[in-house]
């Protein structure tokens, strides 16, 4: 799979993650009582998108650097 295609997939994953934050699921998450990793579910639901976006951003940045190096090597 090409780097550009992978970068596009990461962009879609980032968009989906952002949409999860503002979705009506948050209202339901506020009424659920179980714990995930020792955190109340609502707190976990709020930390999850931030963590996922952080990881996806790092991955996207590394792919962008790799693409830039690849394009430079093709030019010269």
């Amino acid at each position: 799979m090409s780097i550009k295609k992978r970068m596009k997939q990461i962009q879609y994953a980032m968009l989906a993650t952002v949409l999860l934050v503002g979705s009506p699921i948050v209202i339901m998450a506020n009424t659920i009582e179980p714990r995930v990793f020792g955190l109340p579910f609502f707190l976990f639901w709020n930390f999850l998108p931030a963590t996922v976006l952080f990881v996806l951003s790092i991955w996207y940045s590394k792919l962008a650097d790799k693409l830039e190096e690849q394009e430079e090597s093709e030019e010269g």
Side-chain angles (χ1 to χ4, degrees):
M1 183 182 319
S2 72
I3 293 175
K4 287 184 181 182
K5 189 178 242 185
R6 220 178 292 166
M7 288 174 69
K8 195 61 144 173
Q9 289 176 343
I10 293 172
Q11 288 174 344
Y12 287 134
M14 288 175 163
L15 178 63
T17 304
V18 169
L19 291 177
L20 279 176
V21 174
S23 71
I25 296 173
V26 174
I27 296 169
M28 291 185 336
N30 199 19
T31 62
I32 299 174
E33 290 298 323
R35 295 188 172 267
V36 180
F37 300 119
L39 298 171
F41 186 76
F42 185 68
L43 188 59
F44 170 76
W45 188 263
N46 286 317
F47 280 136
L48 182 67
T51 306
V52 170
L53 279 174
F54 176 72
V55 171
L56 288 173
S57 297
I58 290 172
W59 190 13
Y60 186 86
S61 175
K62 291 193 182 291
L63 284 175
D65 290 343
K66 192 174 183 179
L67 180 65
E68 186 178 310
E69 289 174 6
Q70 190 179 51
E71 288 176 349
E72 286 178 0
S73 66
E74 288 176 0
E75 288 176 4

